[in-house]
């Protein structure tokens, strides 16, 4: 006969094995539910990637209209001036021509792994600057360049 006393060192009965199995399933489902809720909250609170809304070519540079304020970084490579718009910014790849100090210069906007890159290239080395701000509900970026003086 079986008694109500604890089973010390003996074989476990079927009810105890079923209880352990149910306990593992319960805690496993809690972990899975917590993971799914955490992923949903992370998705809701993640910032939206910055999108390129428009490009306007002006004398001496290019004006970009963006959906939000991105992190920016500038670089000088072999006389060209480039601005990296970070935070996984995306937009349509474009290219065109402008005039810098009366001379023709080419600009190119391209997608990279780090974000969106605006490059200005001219026959002479360039020195550039950028300025950003909000206006008309969007964020704008004004990139200007001039030929570098020796």
């Amino acid at each position: 006969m079986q008694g109500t006393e604890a089973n010390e060192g003996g074989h476990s009965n079927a009810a105890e094995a079923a209880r352990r199995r149910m306990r593992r399933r319960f805690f496993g489902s809690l972990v899975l539910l917590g993971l799914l809720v955490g992923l949903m909250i992370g998705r809701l609170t993640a910032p939206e990637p910055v999108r390129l809304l428009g490009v306007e070519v002006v004398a001496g540079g290019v004006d970009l209209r963006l959906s939000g304020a991105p992190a920016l970084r500038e670089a000088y490579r072999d006389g060209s001036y480039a601005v990296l718009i970070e935070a996984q910014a995306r937009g349509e790849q474009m290219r065109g021509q402008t005039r810098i100090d009366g001379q023709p210069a080419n600009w190119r906007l391209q997608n990279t792994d780090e974000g969106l890159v605006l490059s200005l290239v001219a026959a002479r080395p360039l020195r550039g600057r950028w300025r950003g701000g909000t206006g008309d509900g969007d964020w704008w970026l004004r990139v200007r360049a001039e030929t570098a003086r020796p």
Side-chain angles (χ1 to χ4, degrees), residues 3-148:
T4 58
E5 66 272 353
N7 190 0
E8 295 180 23
H11 297 290
S12 61
N13 58 19
E16 218 176 294
R19 233 179 286 127
R20 269 189 272 149
R21 208 172 29 251
M22 289 300 286
R23 196 175 302 136
R24 274 188 257 146
R25 283 184 183 171
F26 175 73
F27 285 119
S29 61
L30 280 180
V31 167
L32 183 61
L33 183 65
L35 176 70
L36 291 175
V37 168
L39 287 173
M40 286 189 296
I41 290 172
R43 184 75 174 158
L44 290 173
T45 60
E48 182 179 315
V50 176
R51 290 182 340 271
L52 176 69
L53 301 175
V55 176
E56 183 179 338
V57 179
V58 295
V62 179
D63 289 348
L64 304 175
R65 199 166 45 99
L66 304 165
S67 63
L72 299 169
R73 198 171 54 190
E74 61 184 353
Y76 295 94
R77 283 184 242 135
D78 299 326
S80 69
Y81 178 66
V83 176
L84 171 64
I85 304 166
E86 297 175 349
Q88 298 303 319
R90 291 285 165 234
E92 183 180 335
Q93 296 196 32
M94 298 180 210
R95 62 179 50 194
Q97 197 169 41
T98 185
R99 298 191 78 69
I100 297 175
D101 293 337
Q103 302 295 320
N106 294 324
W107 62 271
R108 183 171 76 176
L109 195 59
Q110 61 187 10
N111 289 311
T112 64
D113 292 338
E114 295 144 2
L116 201 57
V117 176
L118 173 67
S119 302
L120 292 165
V121 180
R124 294 187 178 179
L126 296 175
R127 183 177 51 221
R129 64 191 182 287
W130 59 267
R131 197 175 73 182
T134 57
D136 298 333
D138 297 324
W139 203 85
W140 51 264
L141 173 67
R142 291 189 173 135
V143 179
R144 300 294 182 263
E146 57 189 29
T147 55

